[in-house]
Amino acid sequence: MKIGTLDLGDFPLFLAPMEDVSDPPFRKLCRKHGADMVVTEFISTEGLIRNAYKSVKKLDIYPGERPVAIQIFGHDLQNMLASLRLIEKAEPDAVDINYGCPVKKVVNKGAGAAFLQDPERMQRFTAEIVRHTGLPVTVKTRLGWDENSINIVEVALRMQDAGVKAIFIHGRTRKQMYGGTADWDAIAAVKRHPDMEIPVVANGDIDSPQKAALIRDHYGLDGAMIGRGAIGNPWIFEQMRHYLNTGELLARPGIPDIVVTIKEYLNDAVRWKGERLAILEARRHYAKYFKGLPNFKPWRMQLVQAETLAEVLAVLDKITKEFPE
Ligand SMILES: Cc1cc2nc3c(=O)[nH]c(=O)nc-3n(C[C@H](O)[C@H](O)[C@H](O)COP(=O)(O)O)c2cc1C
């Protein structure tokens, strides 16, 4: 599939944008382990315009992570257009508009999934953004506002008319937030529409190689975007690719390899966001990295109580000694 002139090959696998997760060090890790393209955490266009440190910092792109899309969210068209100049300076491969965030704080302002309630406004904003940048524009959205207003086919056609180069669809409504299960059939209905020409990428609950194969072979979609399945498991991309190519399942890496990966992430993260924040934010990922390890609880306690990089690395070394294969 292609995003503009960017050729991502057959059935690309994308790392989903995830706030506090899809930072540059994690994106680099996912690229290294087979993600074909990554998307940044969402960035407030208001924050960019105000030169807020947190928003501007999120524009950083590591050498090892391209192709990458920068994701923006906003509610004010002029600010969104003005932010494009700052985004272009970071030279991403695409700019992705967030039309799916369900969080109250975001939708109450008219950003994120709020656009699904007004497809005409969504089309107008998108067309203006496309017109104001030379970067390929993609959008990430949901099936509709709630179960009574599923309008994704109309929305997708409007996005195509606005000049969008690909659409990422999370198979839930805004009302569902993250509950229930993603409806892949509803995503496939967009792809099947005779007027649909741009690539349609599925998102939501694609967390195993077999599910990725279903998305490709049964639902006929152009690619898969993986979010939570990659947390503590950046290898999911190579596992999916191997299965898609051969039908065989790869084993999860052993503890020593998992530890090497966590160390690589931590070292990068400390450099990027500073030791305190890096150590703090890494804590919620350890349980996922070591999923299935017997009697992990005491180790996890040690990891989450460690306060410096040196302390965390020392615990990780003890884990490797305890589980040498
Ligand atoms: C911690 C977290 C942060 C997220 N942040 C964003 C975000 O910044 N932008 C966005 O479009 N979606 C965001 N999402 C939604 C994911 O991109 C994705 O649509 C959702 O998790 C469903 O996919 P999954 O089942 O593969 O996780 C976030 C999800 C999680 C769990």
Side-chain angles (χ1 to χ4, degrees):
M1 94 166 229
K2 282 185 168 178
I3 296 182
T5 55
L6 181 67
D7 192 345
L8 295 166
D10 281 344
F11 198 73
L13 303 171
F14 296 82
L15 170 68
M18 286 182 284
E19 199 186 11
D20 294 337
V21 176
S22 304
D23 56 10
F26 188 66
R27 300 195 304 257
K28 183 180 134 192
L29 214 54
C30 290
R31 281 283 294 139
K32 182 173 162 186
H33 291 288
D36 297 290
M37 185 168 182
V38 295
V39 185
T40 66
E41 307 167 72
F42 70 170
I43 308 180
S44 155
T45 50
E46 267 66 43
L48 287 177
I49 299 305
R50 276 188 284 108
N51 202 23
Y53 175 78
K54 200 176 163 205
S55 305
V56 175
K57 179 87 179 146
K58 283 184 178 172
L59 294 173
D60 285 357
I61 294 175
Y62 270 19
E65 60 163 293
R66 291 176 185 281
V68 58
I70 287 181
Q71 191 191 62
I72 54 170
F73 74 99
H75 61 273
D76 180 285
L77 181 58
Q78 292 317 314
N79 284 351
M80 290 175 93
L81 295 179
S83 75
L84 292 170
R85 299 291 85 79
L86 300 166
I87 289 156
E88 284 159 0
K89 277 196 198 140
E91 300 185 350
D93 299 275
V95 54
D96 181 69
I97 313 173
N98 179 318
Y99 289 139
C101 182
V103 176
K104 259 201 186 129
K105 195 174 76 180
V106 171
V107 294
N108 284 353
K109 283 194 174 152
F115 279 92
L116 285 166
Q117 291 180 304
D118 189 349
E120 189 278 324
R121 173 177 176 249
M122 188 170 176
Q123 182 169 1
R124 186 162 45 83
F125 272 53
T126 310
E128 282 297 299
I129 289 169
V130 168
R131 205 164 67 78
H132 277 78
T133 181
L135 293 168
V137 177
T138 62
V139 301
K140 179 166 177 284
T141 188
R142 290 184 175 233
L143 300 179
W145 182 256
D146 61 20
E147 66 277 20
N148 299 317
S149 58
I150 290 182
N151 55 357
I152 188 60
V153 173
E154 177 199 346
V155 160
L157 290 170
R158 282 180 179 270
M159 293 300 96
Q160 176 169 280
D161 284 349
V164 154
K165 296 289 191 274
I167 182 163
F168 303 102
I169 305 174
H170 179 184
R172 287 186 172 83
T173 62
R174 185 271 169 177
K175 193 175 146 200
Q176 280 179 295
M177 308 290 281
Y178 293 93
T181 47
D183 182 352
W184 298 333
D185 247 330
I187 307 174
V190 174
K191 176 70 193 168
R192 280 197 307 268
H193 192 283
D195 295 336
M196 202 62 200
E197 287 167 12
I198 58 170
V200 179
V201 176
N203 170 243
D205 304 345
I206 309 168
D207 57 5
S208 70
Q210 295 92 328
K211 288 182 190 169
L214 265 182
I215 294 291
R216 181 187 67 178
D217 303 333
H218 179 74
Y219 292 93
L221 290 155
D222 295 299
M225 174 176 262
I226 292 92
R228 290 164 295 179
I231 301 178
N233 188 14
W235 306 278
I236 196 169
F237 299 100
E238 56 202 22
Q239 290 166 345
M240 285 179 169
R241 181 61 61 203
H242 188 77
Y243 187 80
L244 287 165
N245 288 344
T246 67
E248 290 166 12
L249 289 170
L250 284 178
R252 213 174 135 76
I255 296 301
D257 286 337
I258 292 176
V259 166
V260 166
T261 298
I262 298 174
K263 284 183 173 177
E264 185 182 334
Y265 172 78
L266 282 173
N267 282 314
D268 279 342
V270 165
R271 264 195 300 274
W272 187 66
K273 52 185 153 188
E275 186 165 358
R276 210 187 71 82
L277 200 60
I279 300 303
L280 209 70
E281 289 187 353
R283 286 181 182 165
R284 64 179 97 128
H285 298 176
Y286 295 129
K288 290 217 162 123
Y289 271 107
F290 293 109
K291 199 169 119 190
L293 202 68
N295 292 327
F296 181 62
K297 217 170 166 193
W299 292 108
R300 186 171 169 270
M301 286 308 287
Q302 289 191 47
L303 284 169
V304 302
Q305 280 166 3
E307 289 188 351
T308 64
L309 177 62
E311 284 170 26
V312 178
L313 295 180
V315 179
L316 289 170
D317 284 339
K318 279 199 273 175
I319 294 177
T320 311
K321 278 210 188 101
E322 188 81 8
F323 304 94
E325 54 178 60

